[in-house]
């Protein structure tokens, strides 16, 4: 759903980026994106590909989460249509919003996958071992990676910070 790597330089100019932005979200709602499908459909496909259980995806809590994530994903894709400096600035706001959505995904996991173990304690149990919070975190890490990469491209980091940043990027990639 979220591409991990930006296009290689040279980056497109303002006119092609503006055209793409208008093509992706002509009216700002969940319209057809680039003539392909809606953002809600893309989110649903991504959740299914992540192996989230089909019954869990049909729950009202999951549908509400998917609708909220679709709005955030559309904003992320629109952010990628800006110049590099503006992308980084808007990505900081996007990551904040995705962090708030992460808390909502944790609540959805508690409602959808809550069960009791043999001793009577509440635990989370997904038949496919996939959870909404893990799916959302995987998507948010793509944004964090892009944010850090933009810092390198814009030469915002001092040379003595490189080793720490390389370690952090390596840690994020696991």
């Amino acid at each position: 759903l979220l591409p991990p790597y930006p296009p290689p330089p040279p980056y497109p100019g303002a006119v092609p980026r503006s055209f793409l932005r208008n093509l992706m979200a002509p009216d700002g709602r969940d319209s057809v994106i680039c003539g392909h499908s809606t953002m809600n459909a893309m989110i649903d496909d991504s959740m299914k590909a992540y192996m989230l259980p089909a019954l869990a995806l049909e729950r009202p809590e999951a549908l509400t989460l998917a609708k909220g994530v679709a709005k955030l994903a559309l904003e992320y894709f629109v952010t990628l249509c800006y110049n590099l400096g503006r992308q980084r600035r808007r990505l900081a706001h996007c990551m904040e919003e995705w962090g708030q959505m992460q808390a909502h995904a944790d609540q959805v996991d508690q409602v959808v996958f809550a069960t009791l173990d043999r001793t009577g304690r509440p635990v989370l149990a997904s038949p496919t071992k996939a959870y909404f919070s893990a799916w959302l975190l995987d998507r948010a890490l793509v944004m964090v990676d892009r944010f850090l990469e933009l810092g390198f491209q814009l030469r915002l980091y001092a040379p003595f910070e490189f080793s720490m940043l390389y370690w952090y990027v390596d840690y994020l990639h696991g």
Side-chain angles (χ1 to χ4, degrees), residues 67-77 94 97-98 101:
K67 194 174 286 188
V69 171
K71 289 178 186 175
L72 295 178
L74 181 61
E75 182 160 336
Y76 172 72
F77 287 134
C94 282
E97 292 171 355
W98 280 71
M101 190 60 69

Side-chain angles (χ1 to χ4, degrees), residues 114-137:
T115 187
L116 298 176
D117 66 359
R118 289 178 279 186
T119 62
R121 292 182 306 177
V123 294
L124 294 179
S126 169
T128 60
K129 305 295 184 228
Y131 298 96
F132 291 104
S133 55
W135 171 80
L136 194 68
L137 183 62

Side-chain angles (χ1 to χ4, degrees), residues 10 17 19-20 23 28 30 37 41-42 44 48 77 80 90-91 93 107 112 141 143 145-146 152 161:
R17 289 192 322 255
F19 181 72
L20 178 62
L23 185 65
D30 190 35
S37 66
M42 291 171 66
D44 289 341
K48 288 174 186 170
F77 287 134
L80 294 179
R90 288 183 60 116
L91 273 176
H93 298 293
Q107 292 172 348
V112 173
L141 286 176
M143 276 186 268
D145 190 40
R146 178 71 179 141
F152 282 109
E161 296 175 310

Side-chain angles (χ1 to χ4, degrees), residues 35-55:
H36 185 274
S37 66
T38 65
M39 186 58 73
N40 284 338
M42 291 171 66
I43 294 296
D44 289 341
D45 291 345
S46 177
M47 287 179 168
K48 288 174 186 170
Y50 195 73
M51 303 296 291
L52 284 164
L55 292 175

Side-chain angles (χ1 to χ4, degrees), residues 3-9 11 76 80 84-85 87-88 91 95 141-157 162 165-166 168-169 172-173:
Y5 301 105
Y11 297 104
Y76 172 72
L80 294 179
L84 299 181
Q87 272 185 42
R88 190 166 195 277
L91 273 176
M95 288 186 301
L141 286 176
V142 171
M143 276 186 268
V144 172
D145 190 40
R146 178 71 179 141
F147 183 80
L148 293 171
E149 184 179 319
L150 283 171
F152 282 109
Q153 291 175 351
L154 295 170
R155 295 185 169 95
L156 298 178
Y157 306 127
F162 288 171
L165 288 163
Y166 290 142
Y168 187 59
V169 169
L172 288 177
H173 286 236

Side-chain angles (χ1 to χ4, degrees), residues 55 73 78 102 114 164 170 173:
L55 292 175
V78 168
Q102 183 71 36
M164 176 190 62
D170 182 54
H173 286 236

